[in-house]
Amino acid sequence: MYIASYCHIRQQTLTYNGEVIFKGNPGNLDAFLTDAFQFLKIAYPKFYKMDRLSKLGLLASELLIRDSTAKRECKPDQIALVLANAHASLDTDVRYLESTKSMASPSLFVYTLSNIVAGEICIRHGIKGENAFFVQPAFDADFMAQYVNQLLTETKNEMCLAGWADVMGEHHDVFLYLAVKEGNGIAQLHTGEELQKLYQSNYGSVDLQS
């Protein structure tokens, strides 16, 4: 199994395979998400109605999938999705709870499940393969590598969009990547060790918990 490409979103900076694609002004995550969406010229108006977690997931997945040769060669039910984070949907839960003090927001309530981000990604990109969402204290590279490798080995899935997507307040930490059976793209081995290196790449001095 191989890692074909990867993407980070941290400190209001969007990177693809280690290259900075878009950098926002510090201090306002919501503004960054809108600016990055418009910068990428994504024609998908539903984006504006999503919660922060779904917006982060969609931005990262867009970079990974839209230029993917593997995606074009796979049927919808041959593409898997495996995500994890630490805060589940808590960022949206807090916002929804605040809204109930005046009038509960139905648009926020829709996103009070952590795996809604997976659903939004699947809808956007027509993904119909296996999918899973895990809530863990921190990104577990060994677990992710083992789970995705087993998925690609034991099912008909030929490709997997996987990784970490977490947000709480202004804190945001996204690391998504494409795992494939055949070596293409950057073609790094899909192992826990390589995933950990990529997860931490370009951000050696950043406190990922802040």
Side-chain angles (χ1 to χ4, degrees):
M1 307 302 167
Y2 297 89
I3 303 165
S5 57
Y6 65 97
C7 175
H8 291 99
I9 306 178
R10 294 188 186 129
Q11 295 188 334
Q12 298 184 19
T13 302
L14 175 63
T15 67
Y16 177 65
N17 289 344
E19 177 184 352
V20 174
I21 301 298
F22 178 80
K23 187 175 181 63
N25 296 320
N28 191 322
L29 177 57
D30 291 316
F32 163 75
L33 293 170
T34 298
D35 291 345
F37 175 77
Q38 294 173 349
F39 175 81
L40 293 176
K41 295 181 172 59
I42 304 171
Y44 198 61
K46 187 181 180 183
F47 177 88
Y48 295 103
K49 299 179 180 180
M50 295 178 184
D51 71 339
R52 288 171 160 184
L53 182 59
S54 295
K55 288 179 178 179
L56 286 164
L58 188 136
L59 288 173
S61 65
E62 190 76 19
L63 276 179
L64 293 169
I65 287 179
R66 68 181 183 181
D67 294 325
S68 171
T69 301
K71 167 66 164 58
R72 292 192 291 271
E73 294 176 349
C74 290
K75 296 178 180 179
D77 63 352
Q78 293 178 322
I79 304 171
L81 177 63
V82 179
L83 300 176
N85 75 11
H87 290 97
S89 60
L90 187 58
D91 181 73
T92 304
D93 296 344
V94 170
R95 292 167 182 268
Y96 175 72
L97 181 61
E98 187 65 25
S99 78
T100 63
K101 295 178 181 179
S102 54
M103 181 177 293
S105 171
S107 62
L108 283 174
F109 179 73
V110 170
Y111 290 95
T112 55
L113 288 174
S114 56
N115 65 343
I116 295 299
V117 57
E120 293 288 14
I121 292 172
C122 287
I123 292 170
R124 166 63 178 161
H125 298 292
I127 296 173
K128 298 182 180 180
E130 305 286 338
N131 67 82
F133 193 102
F134 300 96
V135 178
Q136 301 170 322
F139 177 63
D140 189 334
D142 289 332
F143 170 84
M144 187 64 69
Q146 181 179 4
Y147 190 92
V148 172
N149 283 343
Q150 183 175 355
L151 192 64
L152 293 178
T153 300
E154 299 181 1
T155 71
K156 64 180 179 181
N157 292 280
E158 297 292 327
M159 173 180 126
C160 184
L161 174 63
W164 182 259
D166 194 37
V167 62
M168 187 63 208
E170 292 299 302
H171 160 80
H172 52 287
D173 180 20
V174 177
F175 166 61
L176 297 189
Y177 67 93
L178 286 181
V180 295
K181 291 184 177 180
E182 303 293 335
N184 61 40
I186 63 173
Q188 291 184 242
L189 289 177
H190 185 249
T191 64
E193 181 179 3
E194 290 301 322
L195 284 182
Q196 188 64 33
K197 289 179 182 178
L198 291 179
Y199 174 71
Q200 295 178 325
S201 63
N202 302 326
Y203 295 90
S205 62
V206 172
D207 179 3
L208 300 179
Q209 301 302 318
S210 63

